[in-house]
Amino acid sequence: MLRNEKGLTLLEVLAASVILSLVVLMFLNISSFSLMSNKNDELRVNALRLAEQKLNEYRSTYAAAVPVLQNWVDINLNPLDPASPYSVYVQQSGVQNQTFSTAAFATRKFVSLQSIVLFKDTSTVPATLVPRVMTVTVYWGVAN
């Protein structure tokens, strides 16, 4: 019988390989979650950029006269990219009676930006500025 044996038994090697494989599997799971999270963050940042662009576009377009209070879907999102995953929904309301609804896109991912836009009311003399709350919501994903 040898008493000063150096080395590892088969059971020790098997236990070490099981522990090492569990650690590797955990890192793979974390990295796949990180990649998915990065994709969602990228979609959210692009949606926020699009919402800001559309809000500025509407602010410059509709500041000429007081529009009728209405809601609409923007169909001219990005003519250069018809495969864009985004849709834009615009809501207007008075400052005193704000009516913001997420019912049209509640089951999707979305970002919203609001701004108070001053419209020039040319029907009065002198022309007065009428404030309106304009909400631009960009949504994407599949409705559940």
Side-chain angles (χ1 to χ4, degrees), residues 22-34:
L22 287 175
V23 168
V24 168
L25 284 175
M26 283 190 278
F27 279 120
L28 287 175
N29 191 18
I30 289 171
S31 67
S32 67
F33 176 76
S34 176

Side-chain angles (χ1 to χ4, degrees), residues 9 45 75 82:
T9 65
V45 165
I75 58 172

Side-chain angles (χ1 to χ4, degrees), residues 12-109:
E12 291 171 332
V13 170
L14 186 61
S17 63
V18 166
I19 291 172
L20 183 63
S21 64
L22 287 175
V23 168
V24 168
L25 284 175
M26 283 190 278
F27 279 120
L28 287 175
N29 191 18
I30 289 171
S31 67
S32 67
F33 176 76
S34 176
L35 288 174
M36 186 175 55
S37 177
N38 285 343
K39 179 66 175 170
N40 286 338
D41 289 344
E42 181 183 341
L43 286 170
R44 186 172 301 279
V45 165
N46 289 339
L48 192 57
R49 189 175 299 129
L50 178 62
E52 185 176 12
Q53 173 190 346
K54 288 297 179 179
L55 187 61
N56 289 333
E57 180 183 314
Y58 297 138
R59 193 180 305 160
S60 66
T61 302
Y62 293 104
V66 179
V68 177
L69 288 178
Q70 61 183 351
N71 301 329
W72 69 90
V73 175
D74 188 337
I75 58 172
N76 299 318
L77 275 182
N78 190 353
L80 300 177
D81 185 16
S84 174
Y86 303 110
S87 298
V88 175
Y89 187 72
V90 182
Q91 300 178 62
Q92 289 185 57
S93 62
V95 176
Q96 299 298 325
N97 56 350
Q98 293 185 26
T99 56
F100 174 67
S101 171
T102 61
F105 37 82
T107 59
R108 300 178 181 196
K109 296 178 182 174

